Amino acid sequence: MPTVAEPGDAVVRVTRSAICGTDLHPYRGELPDFAAGTVLGHEFTGVVVEAGVAASVKPGQRVVGSDIVACGRCPMCIRGWHYQCADVTLFGYSTVVGRSLGGAQAEYVLVPHADVVLAEIPDDLTDEQALFTGDVLATGYQATLAAGMAPGDTVVVVGGGAVGLTAGLCLRVTGAGAIVIAELAAERRQAAAQLGFLSSHPDELPGLVAQLTRGAGAPVVVEAVGTDAALGLALSVAGPQATVVSVGAHHGVAFPFPTGAAFARELTVKFVVGNPIRVRDTLFRLIASGRLDPTAVVSHRLPLTDVVNGYDLFDRQEATKVVLVHG
């Protein structure tokens, strides 16, 4: 049971959390310096049970947390670049980004800089709807903003997990034409098709893009996996003067970037980290209006006590998004 340590802290009783693709990196042992015993989870909603004297949040408030923890006062935060904050960290991610902070796949979570990290959930949103604004939907939305898409553009999303699907939902809202989701797992391709997207196996993607664009290539590509192979595929189907936006969490150091092809096609390549603090109010309005339904990507709802099964399903790509129900 955490307790308030700093004047700006709050303690939240968690009501919903989720398993994110980012959680799979330590789960699979891909981050060798990740501290054993770390409580995972950076997507959560809950109820404030304790607040420091400098925090404006109050006990009893229903809140959603940002996965990014930032101070809100430094020059980077003032510019809206919260991931570049000198005090940045992520819930439940050891010291990969900043100082270690316990995650939210637990009964309670300690929230530093509570006035910045937490947002009160509007009365017309459920906890599950709000949950997505804390990471995955914010990431998909910022991919859309970074893409600079023109109305009617053919857009390719490499990766049919929750980030890829929510990116597709946001691209649809902002005026994309054909939206293609490229995904290895058959279950996820089916989920994409059920949401009204075109779906493709990665091996078949170049042919489909050529057909849709009369051989020109896609003007916008979103890479939502975080592997060298996915980024390479995204670059390969991008057309002249296309924008490639990578929102997958990359950890590689030796990607063979195709500089010649990128130069010849005048590509713009952007790496984007979702920023819930910056965009969640907009997302609240889009959800409340009915234009966005992020809960459509949920494949499994499990009690917190069944989290091990949730990780197993997610790791085997038999789940698109696992929401954990607490208490």
Side-chain angles (χ1 to χ4, degrees):
M1 178 65 191
T3 58
V4 165
E6 299 291 338
D9 290 352
V11 174
V12 172
R13 176 177 59 80
V14 182
T15 57
R16 296 288 187 280
S17 65
I19 302 174
C20 178
T22 307
D23 294 327
L24 290 180
H25 294 299
Y27 178 79
R28 292 169 174 165
E30 296 168 354
L31 303 174
D33 295 330
F34 200 93
T38 298
V39 177
L40 299 180
H42 51 264
E43 299 173 283
F44 68 96
T45 61
V47 177
V48 176
V49 295
E50 184 184 2
V53 294
S56 64
V57 295
K58 303 298 182 186
Q61 280 186 318
R62 199 166 56 103
V63 292
V64 58
S66 162
D67 63 330
I68 295 173
V69 175
C71 74
R73 300 183 300 275
C74 70
M76 296 294 102
C77 287
I78 289 169
R79 297 188 71 166
W81 299 351
H82 296 96
Y83 192 66
Q84 306 305 323
C85 174
D87 196 34
V88 70
T89 190
L90 299 179
F91 289 99
Y93 223 57
S94 187
T95 55
V96 174
V97 174
R99 60 193 170 98
S100 183
L101 183 65
Q105 289 166 11
E107 291 85 353
Y108 295 87
V109 62
L110 176 66
V111 181
H113 306 303
D115 288 357
V116 178
V117 176
L118 297 177
E120 187 169 14
I121 299 174
D123 291 340
D124 50 358
L125 265 63
T126 66
D127 283 14
E128 186 172 288
Q129 288 174 318
L131 174 67
F132 285 83
T133 67
D135 178 12
V136 64
L137 183 61
T139 300
Y141 184 66
Q142 287 210 250
T144 300
L145 296 180
M149 178 189 64
D153 273 350
T154 295
V155 181
V156 172
V157 180
V158 178
V163 172
L165 293 178
T166 55
L169 294 175
C170 293
L171 288 159
R172 178 185 288 160
V173 166
T174 52
I179 301 172
V180 182
I181 307 288
E183 170 59 49
L184 280 168
E187 295 86 350
R188 292 184 173 184
R189 291 199 302 272
Q190 183 179 4
Q194 289 174 344
L195 289 172
F197 302 122
L198 298 173
S199 63
S200 171
H201 189 282
D203 292 345
E204 300 169 352
L205 181 64
L208 177 58
V209 172
Q211 177 184 341
L212 292 170
T213 64
R214 299 182 180 179
V220 172
V221 186
V222 175
E223 184 271 305
V225 180
T227 64
D228 289 354
L231 183 56
L233 179 62
L235 291 166
S236 73
V237 298
Q241 295 207 5
T243 298
V244 177
V245 181
S246 177
V247 293
H250 283 268
H251 298 282
V253 295
F255 176 67
F257 189 83
T259 51
F263 176 78
R265 280 181 274 153
E266 299 181 276
L267 301 184
T268 297
V269 182
K270 299 180 179 180
F271 289 85
V272 173
V273 177
N275 190 342
I277 298 167
R278 188 170 185 174
V279 302
R280 60 194 173 195
D281 286 343
T282 299
L283 295 175
F284 287 159
R285 293 191 293 271
L286 287 170
I287 296 169
S289 71
R291 297 187 67 194
L292 270 179
D293 178 17
T295 66
V297 308
V298 178
S299 59
H300 295 76
R301 295 172 177 87
L302 302 174
L304 178 62
T305 52
D306 202 19
V307 65
V308 173
N309 181 39
Y311 268 93
D312 186 45
L313 290 166
F314 202 51
D315 185 40
R316 290 188 278 114
Q317 295 192 331
E318 294 178 14
T320 303
K321 189 64 175 177
V322 178
V323 171
L324 301 171
V325 179
H326 295 236

CSV table of all heavy atoms in Angstrom, one decimal, residues 130-177:
chain,number,residue,atom,x,y,z
A,130,ALA,N,-12.3,5.9,-20.7
A,130,ALA,CA,-11.2,6.8,-20.3
A,130,ALA,C,-9.9,6.1,-20.2
A,130,ALA,O,-8.8,6.7,-20.5
A,130,ALA,CB,-11.6,7.4,-18.9
A,131,LEU,N,-9.8,4.8,-19.9
A,131,LEU,CA,-8.6,4.1,-19.8
A,131,LEU,C,-7.7,4.3,-21.0
A,131,LEU,O,-6.5,4.4,-20.9
A,131,LEU,CB,-8.9,2.6,-19.6
A,131,LEU,CG,-7.8,1.6,-19.6
A,131,LEU,CD1,-6.9,1.8,-18.3
A,131,LEU,CD2,-8.3,0.2,-19.6
A,132,PHE,N,-8.3,4.3,-22.2
A,132,PHE,CA,-7.5,4.3,-23.4
A,132,PHE,C,-6.9,5.7,-23.7
A,132,PHE,O,-5.9,5.8,-24.4
A,132,PHE,CB,-8.4,4.0,-24.6
A,132,PHE,CG,-8.7,2.5,-24.7
A,132,PHE,CD1,-9.8,2.0,-23.9
A,132,PHE,CD2,-8.0,1.7,-25.5
A,132,PHE,CE1,-10.0,0.6,-24.0
A,132,PHE,CE2,-8.3,0.3,-25.5
A,132,PHE,CZ,-9.3,-0.2,-24.8
A,133,THR,N,-7.4,6.7,-23.0
A,133,THR,CA,-6.8,8.1,-23.2
A,133,THR,C,-5.4,8.2,-22.5
A,133,THR,O,-4.7,9.1,-22.8
A,133,THR,CB,-7.7,9.2,-22.7
A,133,THR,OG1,-7.8,9.1,-21.3
A,133,THR,CG2,-9.1,9.1,-23.4
A,134,GLY,N,-5.1,7.2,-21.6
A,134,GLY,CA,-3.9,7.3,-20.9
A,134,GLY,C,-2.6,6.8,-21.6
A,134,GLY,O,-1.5,7.0,-21.2
A,135,ASP,N,-2.8,6.2,-22.8
A,135,ASP,CA,-1.7,5.7,-23.5
A,135,ASP,C,-2.1,5.4,-25.0
A,135,ASP,O,-1.8,6.1,-25.9
A,135,ASP,CB,-1.0,4.5,-22.9
A,135,ASP,CG,0.2,4.0,-23.7
A,135,ASP,OD1,0.6,4.7,-24.6
A,135,ASP,OD2,0.7,2.9,-23.4
A,136,VAL,N,-2.7,4.2,-25.2
A,136,VAL,CA,-2.8,3.6,-26.5
A,136,VAL,C,-3.6,4.5,-27.5
A,136,VAL,O,-3.2,4.7,-28.6
A,136,VAL,CB,-3.4,2.2,-26.4
A,136,VAL,CG1,-4.8,2.2,-25.9
A,136,VAL,CG2,-3.3,1.5,-27.7
A,137,LEU,N,-4.7,5.1,-27.0
A,137,LEU,CA,-5.5,6.0,-27.9
A,137,LEU,C,-4.7,7.3,-28.1
A,137,LEU,O,-4.7,7.8,-29.3
A,137,LEU,CB,-6.9,6.2,-27.3
A,137,LEU,CG,-7.8,7.1,-28.2
A,137,LEU,CD1,-8.1,6.4,-29.6
A,137,LEU,CD2,-9.1,7.4,-27.5
A,138,ALA,N,-4.1,7.8,-27.1
A,138,ALA,CA,-3.3,9.0,-27.3
A,138,ALA,C,-2.2,8.8,-28.3
A,138,ALA,O,-1.9,9.7,-29.1
A,138,ALA,CB,-2.8,9.5,-25.9
A,139,THR,N,-1.6,7.6,-28.2
A,139,THR,CA,-0.5,7.3,-29.2
A,139,THR,C,-1.0,7.3,-30.6
A,139,THR,O,-0.4,7.8,-31.5
A,139,THR,CB,0.2,6.0,-28.8
A,139,THR,OG1,0.7,6.1,-27.4
A,139,THR,CG2,1.3,5.7,-29.7
A,140,GLY,N,-2.2,6.6,-30.8
A,140,GLY,CA,-2.8,6.5,-32.1
A,140,GLY,C,-3.1,7.9,-32.6
A,140,GLY,O,-3.0,8.2,-33.8
A,141,TYR,N,-3.7,8.7,-31.7
A,141,TYR,CA,-4.1,10.1,-32.2
A,141,TYR,C,-2.9,10.9,-32.5
A,141,TYR,O,-2.9,11.6,-33.5
A,141,TYR,CB,-4.9,10.7,-31.0
A,141,TYR,CG,-5.5,12.1,-31.4
A,141,TYR,CD1,-6.4,12.2,-32.4
A,141,TYR,CD2,-5.0,13.2,-30.8
A,141,TYR,CE1,-7.0,13.4,-32.7
A,141,TYR,CE2,-5.6,14.4,-31.1
A,141,TYR,CZ,-6.5,14.5,-32.1
A,141,TYR,OH,-7.1,15.8,-32.4
A,142,GLN,N,-1.8,10.8,-31.8
A,142,GLN,CA,-0.6,11.6,-32.1
A,142,GLN,C,0.0,11.1,-33.4
A,142,GLN,O,0.6,11.9,-34.1
A,142,GLN,CB,0.3,11.6,-30.9
A,142,GLN,CG,-0.2,12.5,-29.8
A,142,GLN,CD,0.9,13.2,-29.0
A,142,GLN,OE1,1.1,12.8,-27.8
A,142,GLN,NE2,1.6,14.1,-29.5
A,143,ALA,N,-0.1,9.9,-33.7
A,143,ALA,CA,0.4,9.4,-35.0
A,143,ALA,C,-0.3,10.1,-36.1
A,143,ALA,O,0.2,10.4,-37.1
A,143,ALA,CB,0.3,7.9,-35.0
A,144,THR,N,-1.6,10.2,-35.9
A,144,THR,CA,-2.5,10.9,-36.9
A,144,THR,C,-2.1,12.3,-37.1
A,144,THR,O,-1.9,12.8,-38.2
A,144,THR,CB,-4.0,10.8,-36.5
A,144,THR,OG1,-4.3,9.4,-36.4
A,144,THR,CG2,-4.8,11.5,-37.5
A,145,LEU,N,-1.8,13.0,-36.0
A,145,LEU,CA,-1.4,14.4,-36.0
A,145,LEU,C,-0.1,14.6,-36.7
A,145,LEU,O,0.1,15.5,-37.6
A,145,LEU,CB,-1.4,15.0,-34.6
A,145,LEU,CG,-2.7,15.1,-33.8
A,145,LEU,CD1,-2.4,15.7,-32.5
A,145,LEU,CD2,-3.7,15.9,-34.6
A,146,ALA,N,0.8,13.7,-36.4
A,146,ALA,CA,2.2,13.8,-37.0
A,146,ALA,C,2.2,13.4,-38.5
A,146,ALA,O,3.1,13.8,-39.2
A,146,ALA,CB,3.1,12.8,-36.2
A,147,ALA,N,1.2,12.7,-38.9
A,147,ALA,CA,1.2,12.2,-40.3
A,147,ALA,C,1.0,13.3,-41.3
A,147,ALA,O,1.4,13.2,-42.5
A,147,ALA,CB,0.2,11.1,-40.5
A,148,GLY,N,0.3,14.4,-40.9
A,148,GLY,CA,-0.1,15.4,-41.9
A,148,GLY,C,-0.9,14.9,-43.0
A,148,GLY,O,-0.7,15.4,-44.2
A,149,MET,N,-1.8,14.0,-42.8
A,149,MET,CA,-2.6,13.4,-43.8
A,149,MET,C,-3.6,14.3,-44.5
A,149,MET,O,-4.2,15.2,-43.9
A,149,MET,CB,-3.4,12.2,-43.2
A,149,MET,CG,-4.3,11.5,-44.1
A,149,MET,SD,-5.3,10.4,-43.1
A,149,MET,CE,-6.3,11.6,-42.2
A,150,ALA,N,-3.7,14.2,-45.8
A,150,ALA,CA,-4.7,14.9,-46.6
A,150,ALA,C,-6.0,14.1,-46.6
A,150,ALA,O,-5.9,12.9,-46.7
A,150,ALA,CB,-4.2,15.2,-48.0
A,151,PRO,N,-7.1,14.7,-46.6
A,151,PRO,CA,-8.4,14.0,-46.7
A,151,PRO,C,-8.4,13.0,-47.9
A,151,PRO,O,-8.0,13.4,-49.0
A,151,PRO,CB,-9.5,15.1,-46.8
A,151,PRO,CG,-8.8,16.3,-46.2
A,151,PRO,CD,-7.4,16.2,-46.5
A,152,GLY,N,-8.8,11.8,-47.7
A,152,GLY,CA,-8.9,10.8,-48.7
A,152,GLY,C,-7.6,10.0,-49.0
A,152,GLY,O,-7.6,9.1,-49.8
A,153,ASP,N,-6.5,10.4,-48.3
A,153,ASP,CA,-5.3,9.6,-48.5
A,153,ASP,C,-5.4,8.2,-48.2
A,153,ASP,O,-6.1,7.8,-47.2
A,153,ASP,CB,-4.2,10.2,-47.6
A,153,ASP,CG,-3.5,11.4,-48.2
A,153,ASP,OD1,-3.7,11.6,-49.4
A,153,ASP,OD2,-2.7,12.0,-47.5
A,154,THR,N,-4.8,7.3,-48.9
A,154,THR,CA,-4.6,5.9,-48.6
A,154,THR,C,-3.5,5.8,-47.5
A,154,THR,O,-2.4,6.3,-47.7
A,154,THR,CB,-4.2,5.1,-49.8
A,154,THR,OG1,-5.2,5.1,-50.8
A,154,THR,CG2,-3.9,3.6,-49.4
A,155,VAL,N,-3.9,5.2,-46.4
A,155,VAL,CA,-3.0,5.1,-45.3
A,155,VAL,C,-2.7,3.6,-44.9
A,155,VAL,O,-3.6,2.8,-44.9
A,155,VAL,CB,-3.6,5.8,-44.0
A,155,VAL,CG1,-2.6,5.7,-42.8
A,155,VAL,CG2,-3.9,7.2,-44.3
A,156,VAL,N,-1.5,3.3,-44.7
A,156,VAL,CA,-1.1,1.9,-44.2
A,156,VAL,C,-0.7,2.0,-42.8
A,156,VAL,O,0.1,2.9,-42.4
A,156,VAL,CB,0.1,1.4,-45.1
A,156,VAL,CG1,0.6,0.1,-44.5
A,156,VAL,CG2,-0.3,1.2,-46.5
A,157,VAL,N,-1.2,1.1,-42.0
A,157,VAL,CA,-0.7,0.9,-40.6
A,157,VAL,C,-0.1,-0.4,-40.5
A,157,VAL,O,-0.7,-1.5,-40.7
A,157,VAL,CB,-1.9,1.0,-39.6
A,157,VAL,CG1,-1.4,0.8,-38.2
A,157,VAL,CG2,-2.6,2.4,-39.7
A,158,VAL,N,1.2,-0.5,-40.1
A,158,VAL,CA,1.9,-1.7,-39.9
A,158,VAL,C,1.8,-2.1,-38.5
A,158,VAL,O,2.3,-1.4,-37.6
A,158,VAL,CB,3.4,-1.6,-40.4
A,158,VAL,CG1,4.2,-2.9,-40.1
A,158,VAL,CG2,3.5,-1.2,-41.8
A,159,GLY,N,1.1,-3.2,-38.2
A,159,GLY,CA,0.8,-3.6,-36.9
A,159,GLY,C,-0.7,-3.5,-36.5
A,159,GLY,O,-1.2,-2.5,-36.6
A,160,GLY,N,-1.2,-4.7,-36.2
A,160,GLY,CA,-2.7,-4.7,-35.9
A,160,GLY,C,-3.0,-5.0,-34.4
A,160,GLY,O,-4.0,-5.5,-34.1
A,161,GLY,N,-2.1,-4.6,-33.6
A,161,GLY,CA,-2.4,-4.6,-32.1
A,161,GLY,C,-3.2,-3.4,-31.8
A,161,GLY,O,-3.7,-2.7,-32.6
A,162,ALA,N,-3.3,-3.1,-30.5
A,162,ALA,CA,-4.2,-2.1,-30.0
A,162,ALA,C,-3.8,-0.7,-30.5
A,162,ALA,O,-4.6,0.2,-30.9
A,162,ALA,CB,-4.3,-2.1,-28.5
A,163,VAL,N,-2.4,-0.4,-30.5
A,163,VAL,CA,-2.0,0.9,-31.0
A,163,VAL,C,-2.3,1.0,-32.5
A,163,VAL,O,-2.8,2.1,-32.9
A,163,VAL,CB,-0.5,1.1,-30.8
A,163,VAL,CG1,0.0,2.3,-31.4
A,163,VAL,CG2,-0.2,1.1,-29.3
A,164,GLY,N,-2.0,0.0,-33.3
A,164,GLY,CA,-2.3,0.1,-34.7
A,164,GLY,C,-3.8,0.3,-35.0
A,164,GLY,O,-4.2,1.1,-35.8
A,165,LEU,N,-4.7,-0.5,-34.2
A,165,LEU,CA,-6.1,-0.3,-34.5
A,165,LEU,C,-6.6,1.0,-34.0
A,165,LEU,O,-7.5,1.6,-34.7
A,165,LEU,CB,-6.8,-1.5,-33.7
A,165,LEU,CG,-6.6,-2.9,-34.3
A,165,LEU,CD1,-7.3,-3.9,-33.4
A,165,LEU,CD2,-7.0,-3.0,-35.7
A,166,THR,N,-6.2,1.5,-32.9
A,166,THR,CA,-6.6,2.8,-32.4
A,166,THR,C,-6.1,3.9,-33.4
A,166,THR,O,-6.8,4.9,-33.6
A,166,THR,CB,-6.2,3.1,-31.0
A,166,THR,OG1,-4.8,3.0,-30.8
A,166,THR,CG2,-7.0,2.3,-30.0
A,167,ALA,N,-4.9,3.7,-33.9
A,167,ALA,CA,-4.4,4.7,-34.9
A,167,ALA,C,-5.3,4.7,-36.1
A,167,ALA,O,-5.7,5.7,-36.7
A,167,ALA,CB,-3.0,4.3,-35.3
A,168,GLY,N,-5.8,3.5,-36.5
A,168,GLY,CA,-6.7,3.4,-37.6
A,168,GLY,C,-8.0,4.1,-37.3
A,168,GLY,O,-8.6,4.8,-38.2
A,169,LEU,N,-8.5,4.0,-36.1
A,169,LEU,CA,-9.8,4.7,-35.7
A,169,LEU,C,-9.6,6.2,-35.8
A,169,LEU,O,-10.5,6.9,-36.3
A,169,LEU,CB,-10.2,4.3,-34.3
A,169,LEU,CG,-10.6,2.8,-34.1
A,169,LEU,CD1,-10.9,2.5,-32.6
A,169,LEU,CD2,-11.8,2.4,-34.9
A,170,CYS,N,-8.4,6.7,-35.3
A,170,CYS,CA,-8.2,8.1,-35.4
A,170,CYS,C,-8.0,8.6,-36.8
A,170,CYS,O,-8.5,9.7,-37.1
A,170,CYS,CB,-6.9,8.4,-34.5
A,170,CYS,SG,-7.2,8.1,-32.7
A,171,LEU,N,-7.3,7.8,-37.6
A,171,LEU,CA,-7.1,8.2,-39.0
A,171,LEU,C,-8.5,8.3,-39.7
A,171,LEU,O,-8.7,9.2,-40.6
A,171,LEU,CB,-6.2,7.2,-39.7
A,171,LEU,CG,-4.7,7.3,-39.3
A,171,LEU,CD1,-4.0,6.0,-39.6
A,171,LEU,CD2,-4.0,8.4,-40.0
A,172,ARG,N,-9.4,7.4,-39.4
A,172,ARG,CA,-10.7,7.4,-40.0
A,172,ARG,C,-11.4,8.7,-39.6
A,172,ARG,O,-12.0,9.4,-40.5
A,172,ARG,CB,-11.5,6.2,-39.6
A,172,ARG,CG,-12.9,6.2,-40.1
A,172,ARG,CD,-13.6,5.0,-39.5
A,172,ARG,NE,-13.2,3.7,-40.1
A,172,ARG,CZ,-13.3,2.5,-39.5
A,172,ARG,NH1,-13.9,2.4,-38.3
A,172,ARG,NH2,-12.9,1.4,-40.1
A,173,VAL,N,-11.4,9.0,-38.3
A,173,VAL,CA,-12.1,10.2,-37.8
A,173,VAL,C,-11.5,11.5,-38.5
A,173,VAL,O,-12.3,12.5,-38.8
A,173,VAL,CB,-11.9,10.3,-36.3
A,173,VAL,CG1,-12.3,11.7,-35.8
A,173,VAL,CG2,-12.8,9.3,-35.6
A,174,THR,N,-10.2,11.5,-38.8
A,174,THR,CA,-9.6,12.7,-39.4
A,174,THR,C,-9.6,12.7,-40.9
A,174,THR,O,-8.9,13.6,-41.5
A,174,THR,CB,-8.2,12.9,-38.8
A,174,THR,OG1,-7.4,11.7,-39.0
A,174,THR,CG2,-8.2,13.3,-37.4
A,175,GLY,N,-10.3,11.7,-41.6
A,175,GLY,CA,-10.5,11.9,-43.0
A,175,GLY,C,-9.7,11.0,-43.9
A,175,GLY,O,-9.7,11.2,-45.1
A,176,ALA,N,-9.1,9.9,-43.4
A,176,ALA,CA,-8.4,9.0,-44.3
A,176,ALA,C,-9.3,8.3,-45.3
A,176,ALA,O,-10.5,8.2,-45.0
A,176,ALA,CB,-7.6,8.0,-43.5
A,177,GLY,N,-8.8,8.0,-46.5
A,177,GLY,CA,-9.6,7.2,-47.4
A,177,GLY,C,-9.5,5.7,-47.0
A,177,GLY,O,-10.0,5.3,-46.0
